[in-house]
Amino acid sequence: MLRYTLLRLAIFVGCFAAVWALVYAGLLPRGLGESNGLWVLLLSLVISAPISFVALRKQRDAASENIVTRVDRAKVGFAKSASQEDHLLDSAEAPAAQPATRTTGGRARAHTPTTPTQG
């Protein structure tokens, strides 16, 4: 991914230098008033985008495959983590799901919590 980004930046810088030279030589208009820098920047972006699209196809495809691989690994890791959490939650809830019992006078009786009365 870094290689693709650096190559794309290099193409932009080359286009910027070429457009700047053409504007300085008078072959391209200078822009309106003080907008010369912005004009050169925008024209460089417009020119470098299709060049990058065509020239860096292999690098872009390799970068996207790398991203897909990393996303798939992250999904597997998240699923594994979620299943471990589910297992831990299920094992923690299993004893709580059964009502607590206490014995009084030899008989087992379910414990029901009492709420305090207001008064």
Side-chain angles (χ1 to χ4, degrees):
M1 184 71 183
L2 180 64
R3 180 178 179 195
Y4 173 73
T5 304
L6 291 176
L7 288 172
R8 190 126 188 229
L9 183 64
I11 289 174
F12 170 74
V13 169
C15 287
F16 186 82
V19 169
W20 190 270
L22 290 172
V23 167
Y24 184 75
L27 297 173
L28 289 176
R30 290 192 183 271
L32 298 174
E34 298 294 320
S35 67
N36 188 32
L38 183 61
W39 163 251
V40 172
L41 180 76
L42 290 176
L43 191 56
S44 300
L45 283 171
V46 168
I47 293 171
S48 70
I51 292 172
S52 296
F53 184 74
V54 173
L56 301 179
R57 183 178 311 262
K58 290 179 183 177
Q59 288 82 5
R60 186 177 57 251
D61 290 343
S64 67
E65 286 176 12
N66 186 16
I67 291 171
V68 167
T69 303
R70 290 192 335 205
V71 167
D72 288 343
R73 264 189 285 158
K75 284 181 182 179
V76 168
F78 287 142
K80 192 177 194 181
S81 177
S83 68
Q84 288 176 350
E85 279 184 20
D86 291 344
H87 176 69
L88 289 173
L89 288 174
D90 290 343
S91 65
E93 289 176 355
Q98 300 171 351
T101 59
R102 62 182 165 168
T103 59
T104 52
R107 288 189 323 184
R109 159 177 103 163
H111 174 69
T112 55
T114 59
T115 56
T117 59
Q118 295 180 359

